[in-house]
Amino acid sequence: MKTIQWRTTLRYGLLGGVAALYFSAIGMVELFAGRNLVGTTINMGHILLYGGVVAAGFLAARSEAHARLPQRLVIGLVAGLVAAVPTIALVLLDSVWDMEAIFVSMNNPLIRLLTLGRGLPGLGMFLAVCGALGLAGGGYNSMPGEHKAAGARALALVLIVAIFSDLVTQVMSNLFGRGSLSLFFAGKALKPAVAIVLFVLMGAVFYFRAVRKARTPLDPEKVKVDKRTRLQRQVVQFVVVGIILLVAPQVLGSFLSQVLFEVGRFVLLGLGLNIVVGYAGLLDLGYVAFFAVGAYTMGLLTTATGLNMGGGVMNFWLALPVAVLISVLFGILLGFPVLSLRGDYLAIVTLGFGEIVRILALSDWLKPIMGGAQGVLFIPTPHIFGVTFDTPQKMYYLVVLGALLAAFVSIRLRDSRLGRQWMAMREDEDVAEAMGINLVQTKLLAFAIGAGFSGLGGAIFAARLGNVFPHSFNLLISLNALSLIIVGGMGSIPGVIVGAVALVGLPELLREFQEYRLLIYGILLIVMMLNRPEGFLPAEVFKRELHAEEGELAGTGD
Amino acid sequence: MANILIARNVTKTFGGLVAVNDFTLDVAENSISSVIGPNGAGKTTFFNCVTGFYKVDEGEILFGGGLIHNLRTDVVTRKGISRTYQNIRLFANMSAIENILVGQHPRLKTFWAAAVWKSKGFVEEEAAAVEEARRLLKFVGLQGLGDQLARNLPYGAQRRLEIARALASQPKLLLLDEPTAGMNPNETGEMTRFIQHLRDELGVTILLIEHDMRVVMGISEQVTVLDYGSKIAEGKPKQIQSNPRVIEAYLGRGAASGLKAVKAGKH
Ligand SMILES: Nc1ncnc2c1ncn2[C@@H]1O[C@H](COP(=O)(O)OP(=O)(O)O)[C@@H](O)[C@H]1O
Ligand SMILES: [Mg+2]
């Protein structure tokens, strides 16, 4: 029999403990504790505080591949107990010296939380809770595969519903009336009974699905679908997605439509940057510049004060293509000086460009035109055929149209010669040139088209807000757009959408925690890079050889 | 026979190092010619001068009667020269067939934006290009592997794919940089036969670089030997094998493969 590696157990325990300690000391636990998830028993603070403990028990038990169930339970228990130690030490330290002087967040509410409201003796309970959770983590690890997956999914689902209850309640009240809410929710939290029922129900559903899938092995005859069925499926998918996009703002209401608008805006930005970074491999950190150009062009052309011409020169619909065009021109203009730069050098220089554009907009020199810090005010709301785009719901349609257009153009170009030029350049610039590819043209086209999408986003953004301020165009926008591409999957269009929802949409729903947005971003990016560097939805290889000859070659088996 | 490639007194230096020194070479149309020499002799550097990747310091290079040594790499390729690399340089994260499609780039003519509205010309050209890529894939013996990412292909297949990619532009002159590097004798024999087949089938002129003499002796019509950047011998394979300066160049460097090659050639 093998001996247990207690060092590993200890290490996982301490890691979980340090995570709990860290989130406590920076004040996250206390802030998050204000948000109940299930009744008043489980809140978001608990997730932060104890999540690492459960994970420690789970991982420690998993690292012992040959251990039997009782051993795993003991390992989990030990890891959980160890995980409690750092936090206990901190609380004890605080009882001797007041730690609030060092960690401003080490205040009484937090101590009360960590001692479960019982003063120092409560630490014993904290230890017990951690031990139990570690034990649970270890025990969970020993469950058979289907149970494990079903349990984890059901738990994740309940937590997601509870965490994003704003979204769920909004949809429910719009669909079934406000009365339906009190049946399931108490404030923002799920009612405990509802949570349990949901967990059991979904657990069962996931479990039986997994069992059924395991029982029916993949039948190659059934998996292979002929061209017509595939086409039909595609049409159905299109229609479903279209209907969802169409009715979403009606079902979701004003606030959530605003969130969707934000997501759409970043999908547009992401699609543009995806061409530059994802396809062409040109790391552009000044991408916000083109967004600013589009927004300012819209502002200056449509306002009475803009360009000092007395009266708006154009309406929204005329100004929109002009804004895109000017952004494209800027894309080419800023592309020229960086043609010969690669990698980090390109990143640094474009970073500078982004800042230059913002600072120029802020400058006194351009103040007579751009309005300096005051920006451009009173941009008229677009209207057409008697419809005025005066609500978030209506603006949402505009940005969705823009994003659809960008996605369409992206897909078409990706699957064409130009797309291959970009990707070849991304893979190996020298070889791409040796294949007869004109690098200057290929790079400038990437910058120009990327800038065009960004400018389109900027122009719509300006019309939506009704004003443009230089500070809306800071570096963070570029970084946001870049992060969402990385998280979604470089060069993947569905990835851009998933990335925008995850990094822009979800944080909007958790406005209470704005302060920690960047921290969560950072953690998410690190976890992504370590575990899934290709992103959530990596770009798929387009099947060209077997596509047409499916019948023949699938038959021969290679 | 006309000379398709002429290099006259080409010199290329890196700082103080003279990598190619006053090198003159004529490559006859439709031939298989080889440039051999020990490692570091300047063979790859010469290729880089021909393709326009390096600017020559002195001398001139003519292709099909026109000067090319001042042209950009992509322009040289469009004139009809393509190449492979000593250390395979495929587009690793693109599928095999997409690699070949990139190789066809100089032959595709429709306006890039036509892809957005899928003009008739674009659709037709694209379909023909994919068809041609499949054909080339088959030609180099890789059918069925077209949708694999290039980096997932086995070593020998990668070498073949690189040749298919180079052929895709329908070059008049194909430059192969140590196409058998890293192969065992079996694979080497197969590759040399394949190169011969290439020329006979497609009528493309082939200029080959090797540091292992054995590879080129069987298939080359003309061999040029480079040492320390300078040409030390030129002629038919038979003459080269018995040339004392060549033997010295290989033996002097202690290159065991050179010694073996010389012995093998003599029996
Ligand atoms: N880009 C470069 N910069 C500096 N030195 C180089 C460069 N490329 C090649 N060299 C040097 O030139 C000489 C010839 O190299 P190369 O042409 O690669 O030889 P080989 O005959 O093995 O292909 C070597 O000494 C090499 O170190
Ligand atoms: Mg070499």
Side-chain angles (χ1 to χ4, degrees):
Chain A
M1 214 198 102
K2 282 192 152 181
T3 50
I4 295 170
Q5 295 287 319
W6 289 111
R7 278 173 70 118
T8 316
T9 311
L10 204 71
R11 204 178 65 214
Y12 279 121
L14 278 178
L15 272 176
V18 168
L21 175 75
Y22 177 73
F23 289 132
S24 303
I26 63 168
M28 263 178 114
V29 168
E30 193 216 328
L31 178 73
F32 280 43
R35 172 71 155 73
N36 285 327
L37 289 181
V38 177
T40 50
T41 7
I42 302 179
N43 59 44
M44 275 181 75
H46 290 133
I47 306 281
L48 275 184
L49 190 56
Y50 297 119
V53 179
V54 180
F58 175 81
L59 291 173
R62 196 181 63 176
S63 68
E64 291 292 334
H66 302 290
R68 284 171 294 120
L69 177 63
Q71 282 174 317
R72 279 173 202 260
L73 289 178
V74 173
I75 292 171
L77 176 71
V78 172
L81 292 175
V82 171
V85 172
T87 311
I88 290 178
L90 187 73
V91 175
L92 286 177
L93 219 62
D94 183 70
S95 68
V96 185
W97 300 291
D98 189 10
M99 299 292 285
E100 204 172 339
I102 305 168
F103 297 112
V104 277
S105 307
M106 285 298 292
N107 47 18
N108 287 332
L110 176 68
I111 300 296
R112 222 172 302 135
L113 207 90
L114 295 178
T115 53
L116 291 92
R118 286 179 177 75
L120 282 189
L123 283 179
M125 277 198 59
F126 177 73
L127 186 69
V129 170
C130 284
L133 287 172
L135 187 89
Y140 169 68
N141 178 266
S142 321
M143 292 208 298
E146 294 102 28
H147 289 90
K148 201 152 72 177
R153 281 188 197 158
L155 186 64
L157 191 95
V158 172
L159 286 180
I160 287 171
V161 169
I163 291 173
F164 298 107
S165 60
D166 273 342
L167 178 71
V168 181
T169 52
Q170 185 74 54
V171 173
M172 276 174 63
S173 70
N174 280 352
L175 286 179
F176 312 113
R178 288 217 75 85
S180 62
L181 291 184
S182 56
L183 228 54
F184 302 98
F185 290 93
K188 288 187 169 189
L190 272 176
K191 288 189 165 175
V194 175
I196 292 169
V197 170
L198 188 65
F199 176 75
V200 173
L201 208 70
M202 290 320 289
V205 169
F206 287 133
Y207 175 71
F208 284 114
R209 263 197 12 204
V211 170
R212 213 180 52 200
K213 209 167 160 191
R215 232 184 261 146
T216 44
L218 280 182
D219 183 353
E221 282 307 306
K222 271 188 191 151
V223 173
K224 214 170 71 188
V225 284
D226 62 277
K227 235 179 170 164
R228 243 191 67 215
T229 334
R230 200 168 44 207
L231 200 73
Q232 277 170 355
R233 270 188 208 168
Q234 263 174 8
V235 170
V236 171
Q237 274 171 7
F238 265 119
V239 171
V240 170
V241 171
I243 290 175
I244 290 176
L245 284 178
L246 217 62
V247 302
Q250 261 57 49
V251 175
L252 293 178
S254 171
F255 169 68
L256 289 173
S257 297
Q258 230 162 299
V259 174
L260 279 186
F261 179 87
E262 279 299 289
V263 173
R265 170 161 84 98
F266 272 93
V267 167
L268 247 178
L269 278 169
L271 285 172
L273 191 60
N274 184 49
I275 286 187
V276 183
V277 181
Y279 293 164
L282 304 161
L283 187 51
D284 183 350
L285 292 183
Y287 188 62
V288 68
F290 312 116
F291 184 68
V293 169
Y296 267 99
T297 310
M298 174 57 74
L300 293 177
L301 287 178
T302 56
T303 54
T305 47
L307 298 177
N308 293 328
M309 289 217 188
V313 183
M314 294 178 182
N315 69 26
F316 173 83
W317 304 101
L318 273 178
L320 195 63
V322 177
V324 173
L325 212 72
I326 304 246
S327 307
V328 166
L329 283 182
F330 264 79
I332 296 171
L333 219 67
L334 294 189
F336 265 114
V338 298
L339 278 174
S340 59
L341 298 180
R342 293 185 192 185
D344 351 10
Y345 299 98
L346 176 67
I348 297 290
V349 174
T350 50
L351 183 82
F353 280 161
E355 283 297 280
I356 288 171
V357 167
R358 186 177 64 86
I359 290 167
L360 274 182
L362 250 174
S363 68
D364 283 339
W365 178 51
L366 286 176
K367 193 166 179 182
I369 308 170
M370 316 273 271
Q374 212 176 34
V376 182
L377 304 175
F378 308 116
I379 298 169
T381 33
H383 56 90
I384 194 169
F385 304 133
V387 184
T388 309
F389 288 77
D390 49 1
T391 61
Q393 278 101 324
K394 287 176 187 158
M395 283 312 283
Y396 154 89
Y397 288 117
L398 214 55
V399 86
V400 165
L401 273 182
L404 284 178
L405 178 76
F408 177 76
V409 173
S410 292
I411 292 173
R412 283 285 167 90
L413 290 181
R414 177 195 66 193
D415 298 337
S416 77
R417 178 169 58 119
L418 183 58
R420 293 194 295 268
Q421 276 168 253
W422 284 333
M423 286 178 227
M425 195 169 71
R426 174 191 71 194
E427 296 294 307
D428 192 328
E429 211 173 292
D430 298 334
V431 180
E433 194 177 18
M435 293 297 126
I437 291 171
N438 182 334
L439 294 181
V440 172
Q441 185 212 23
T442 309
K443 280 187 188 180
L444 288 183
L445 275 174
F447 282 127
I449 294 169
F453 291 173
S454 185
L456 178 64
I460 297 176
F461 175 70
R464 153 89 184 82
L465 283 192
N467 44 51
V468 203
F469 305 118
H471 72 244
S472 323
F473 308 108
N474 53 30
L475 175 63
L476 217 53
I477 309 264
S478 300
L479 294 185
N480 256 338
L482 188 64
S483 312
L484 73 88
I485 294 180
I486 294 173
V487 168
M490 280 274 184
S492 153
I493 290 168
V496 169
I497 297 164
V498 169
V501 170
L503 293 190
V504 179
L506 300 187
E508 291 288 329
L509 295 179
L510 299 173
R511 281 210 163 257
E512 306 109 284
F513 312 121
Q514 277 299 318
E515 266 186 79
Y516 296 103
R517 187 171 175 160
L518 285 178
L519 177 70
I520 298 171
Y521 248 62
I523 294 176
L524 182 66
L525 275 179
I526 291 172
V527 170
M528 264 333 256
M529 286 302 97
L530 288 176
N531 291 319
R532 216 180 147 83
E534 72 277 18
F536 270 124
L537 290 175
E540 281 177 32
V541 184
F542 189 48
K543 299 256 186 293
R544 284 184 191 277
E545 188 185 17
L546 298 187
H547 208 78
E549 319 175 40
E550 216 156 26
E552 306 164 34
L553 275 161
T556 62
D558 67 356
Chain B
M1 225 182 333
N3 288 328
I4 188 165
L5 183 77
I6 299 169
R8 283 196 199 121
N9 309 98
V10 170
T11 297
K12 174 73 197 170
T13 56
F14 297 110
L17 177 85
V18 187
V20 177
N21 187 10
D22 198 26
F23 183 57
T24 296
L25 176 76
D26 293 336
V27 177
E29 192 153 7
N30 216 357
S31 68
I32 297 182
S33 306
S34 302
V35 174
I36 64 169
N39 267 325
K43 307 180 295 288
T44 301
T45 304
F46 174 65
F47 264 22
N48 281 328
C49 292
V50 172
T51 56
F53 186 66
Y54 291 155
K55 294 275 157 279
V56 301
D57 295 320
E58 274 165 55
E60 54 186 25
I61 302 174
L62 289 100
F63 175 69
L67 289 174
I68 57 165
H69 61 268
N70 281 325
L71 302 178
R72 264 200 337 255
T73 307
D74 55 312
V75 181
V76 171
T77 304
R78 283 174 182 280
K79 291 208 176 284
I81 299 182
S82 54
R83 69 171 295 185
T84 66
Y85 295 84
Q86 183 173 347
N87 43 345
I88 305 171
R89 285 172 82 172
L90 287 165
F91 303 121
N93 293 306
M94 297 173 79
S95 71
I97 212 154
E98 278 171 338
N99 268 274
I100 302 180
L101 283 168
V102 174
Q104 288 188 50
H105 175 79
R107 303 198 295 122
L108 304 182
K109 298 284 185 261
T110 43
F111 180 47
W112 61 267
V116 175
W117 57 85
K118 281 202 173 169
S119 74
K120 195 158 160 281
F122 166 79
V123 173
E124 281 168 5
E125 188 183 77
E126 197 69 6
V130 172
E131 197 46 52
E132 166 74 3
R134 288 205 195 105
R135 204 186 57 75
L136 274 168
L137 209 58
K138 218 171 222 162
F139 180 72
V140 298
L142 295 179
Q143 69 262 49
L145 295 177
D147 293 328
Q148 304 281 324
L149 289 186
R151 66 177 149 89
N152 293 338
L153 292 176
Y155 185 79
Q158 292 196 2
R159 283 254 173 241
R160 284 163 175 273
L161 178 58
E162 219 191 7
I163 294 179
R165 182 181 68 179
L167 289 174
S169 60
Q170 295 186 345
K172 298 190 199 93
L173 174 66
L174 181 61
L175 307 177
L176 302 175
D177 195 344
E178 304 204 13
T180 64
M183 289 186 166
N184 64 31
N186 233 343
E187 294 167 323
T188 302
E190 210 172 290
M191 180 55 85
T192 42
R193 278 192 297 281
F194 177 67
I195 291 169
Q196 187 119 40
H197 172 69
L198 259 185
R199 195 269 310 265
D200 300 345
E201 192 89 337
L202 304 175
V204 56
T205 311
I206 292 175
L207 179 60
L208 194 66
I209 285 181
E210 265 299 337
H211 77 272
D212 184 345
M213 286 170 69
R214 277 170 301 178
V215 175
V216 299
M217 288 307 163
I219 54 169
S220 319
E221 278 119 45
Q222 178 193 265
V223 178
T224 307
V225 188
L226 210 55
D227 191 25
Y228 288 115
S230 305
K231 181 158 79 177
I232 57 169
E234 191 165 37
K236 303 254 171 272
K238 277 263 151 44
Q239 304 164 327
I240 295 298
Q241 276 169 337
S242 49
N243 185 317
R245 283 194 68 186
V246 177
I247 295 170
E248 191 198 302
Y250 271 86
L251 287 181
R253 298 277 177 90
S257 68
L259 176 62
K260 266 190 248 151
V262 173
K263 280 184 178 159
K266 275 193 174 155
H267 64 73

